[in-house]
Amino acid sequence: MEQTYKFYVSGMHCRACVMLIDDRLKEYPGVTSARADLARREIIITGNLIGDQEKVIQDLNLILKSDGYTLSTNKTKKTIVWSEFYYALPMATTLIAVFIWLQKLGLVNLVSGNNVSYSTALVIGLIASVSTCLAIVGGLVLSLSASYAKSGAKARTQIMFHLGRLLTFFVLGGVIGTIGSALHLNWTVNLIISMVVGLVMLVLGFNLLDLTDFTQKFQIVMPKHIAKKVLAPREVFNFFTPFLVGGLTFFMPCGFTQSMQIYALSTGSFFKGALTMLIFVLGTLPMLSLLSFSSFSIISKPWQGIFFKTAGLIVMAMAIFNLLNLLAVAGIINPIFNL
């Protein structure tokens, strides 16, 4: 007889976490459905599970441990580790100061009118690869490694996966840019789109600080039932499956990816849209490659909170710089940063 269990979840940061937890727990024998809720920080599990509730939760936690999630029977009050800001704030301030210095030297261009520069796209990719992107794409990387391990094709699998990501992001980025060109977006529309990108980035950065769950509802996400269909091909074993799965990550519910897709639309150019998405995905490559070919994982490290908060502060600073610069370009305010 099927039973229903309700557990509380700690460690969830975004909608990608919800999908990853659902997917992981459905692999447990006897589980017929798993529905995580980010706002309530809980999950409802239905199935014929062996053992009492204590044994079930121990077994499920073993599955989720490597991803940094923990289930419990008691709801715990959200705790904010303010001490992590003692380290995150000076680290973020230092890196932001370096970005500004490089901008003044003309080596990078993080703030550029109503455009998201290629330098910005690269930095956003780097940050995405250690935050929301790591949660879902990192899970896929590890899952593919485990699936193909018996055949001894781990290296080939990972290479095909990353090639699929690079090629698909380039091609579909160009397609999005071409669509923008067909729509004949004028300067005002481009400015509005750039403002939307800035606001999305601001929300993403704030969510990385993990101060409240309220702003999670403002994050643009793909419907869960569609995203789950994107994950399905990983269970098909053939030479091109890793390539296909890598390409399908273009549609994953990662806010950073979606913000870059919105900007690619505003470029109105196949080449600019393609290059923006390619540079963004190249930014994610170092961390995901490290995860692919080693056992490294930032999620399970004790300093993950400091890392996420540092990344969040940097993303928020970049978003604020760009939003203020956009307002200056529009003539709404006077230039504040002479970058």
Side-chain angles (χ1 to χ4, degrees):
M1 180 178 178
E2 284 195 344
Q3 292 181 295
T4 299
Y5 300 84
K6 182 172 80 169
F7 299 123
Y8 296 99
V9 189
S10 62
M12 286 197 296
H13 298 284
C14 61
R15 301 293 178 87
C17 293
V18 171
M19 193 174 69
L20 181 61
I21 291 172
D22 288 353
D23 195 54
R24 284 280 190 270
L25 295 185
K26 285 181 180 178
E27 297 174 357
Y28 185 77
V31 173
T32 55
S33 71
R35 300 186 305 277
D37 188 306
L38 180 61
R40 294 185 174 87
R41 301 276 176 169
E42 66 181 31
I43 185 167
I44 304 297
I45 300 172
T46 304
N48 296 308
L49 307 182
I50 300 174
D52 57 18
Q53 189 179 55
E54 184 176 349
K55 183 182 185 306
V56 168
I57 200 170
Q58 287 178 350
D59 292 343
L60 296 180
N61 275 329
L62 287 176
I63 297 174
L64 298 175
K65 182 179 179 180
S66 61
D67 296 309
Y69 308 114
T70 305
L71 303 183
S72 62
T73 54
N74 298 317
K75 187 174 184 178
T76 57
K77 185 178 180 181
K78 184 179 180 65
T79 57
I80 301 173
V81 187
W82 294 105
S83 60
E84 292 176 341
F85 282 99
Y86 297 155
Y87 302 95
L89 190 57
M91 290 171 61
T93 302
T94 301
L95 290 172
I96 292 168
V98 171
F99 289 151
I100 294 175
W101 178 62
L102 293 175
Q103 176 107 10
K104 285 184 174 293
L105 292 178
L107 299 179
V108 299
N109 189 20
L110 297 177
V111 181
S112 178
N114 65 335
N115 294 316
V116 174
S117 68
Y118 296 132
S119 301
T120 304
L122 181 65
V123 172
I124 291 173
L126 287 167
I127 294 173
S129 69
V130 295
S131 52
T132 58
C133 185
L134 184 65
I136 186 65
V137 180
L140 275 175
V141 167
L142 294 175
S143 178
L144 283 171
S145 295
S147 299
Y148 284 81
K150 292 183 179 179
S151 65
K154 179 179 178 180
R156 186 195 69 193
T157 299
Q158 299 302 338
I159 291 172
M160 292 292 288
F161 175 83
H162 292 296
L163 284 176
R165 273 175 61 79
L166 292 171
L167 181 60
T168 304
F169 273 66
F170 178 81
V171 173
L172 294 187
V175 171
I176 292 175
T178 302
I179 293 173
S181 175
L183 295 176
H184 301 292
L185 304 178
N186 58 31
W187 183 87
T188 302
V189 175
N190 281 330
L191 183 67
I192 293 173
I193 290 177
S194 297
M195 291 288 290
V196 170
V197 172
L199 291 172
V200 169
M201 296 301 299
L202 191 61
V203 171
L204 284 169
F206 187 79
N207 286 341
L208 285 175
L209 301 183
D210 199 26
L211 298 178
T212 177
D213 298 329
F214 178 74
T215 52
Q216 296 286 350
K217 65 182 68 175
F218 299 112
Q219 192 165 311
I220 302 172
V221 296
M222 177 188 294
K224 188 190 293 187
H225 68 281
I226 297 177
K228 286 183 179 294
K229 290 184 182 297
V230 175
L231 283 171
R234 70 178 186 166
E235 299 175 357
V236 181
F237 295 92
N238 61 57
F239 183 81
F240 292 103
T241 296
F243 185 90
L244 175 62
V245 174
L248 289 175
T249 58
F250 185 86
F251 304 100
M252 286 289 94
C254 169
F256 289 105
T257 302
Q258 290 161 344
S259 66
M260 289 296 95
Q261 290 167 346
I262 294 172
Y263 171 70
L265 179 69
S266 72
T267 63
S269 163
F270 179 91
F271 181 74
K272 289 182 179 179
L275 197 56
T276 296
M277 295 308 300
L278 177 63
I279 291 175
F280 166 76
V281 79
L282 283 173
T284 69
L285 189 59
M287 179 57 69
L288 292 180
S289 295
L290 185 61
L291 182 64
S292 299
F293 299 102
S294 72
S295 59
F296 180 84
S297 175
I298 192 174
I299 293 178
S300 59
K301 303 299 182 182
W303 35 266
Q304 63 160 319
I306 297 173
F307 203 97
F308 285 161
K309 286 179 173 59
T310 302
L313 290 170
I314 293 173
V315 171
M316 289 182 68
M318 290 172 58
I320 291 171
F321 285 160
N322 279 284
L323 285 171
L324 291 175
N325 199 56
L326 287 168
L327 292 175
V329 169
I332 299 174
I333 64 172
N334 293 323
I336 297 177
F337 302 103
N338 186 23
L339 299 178

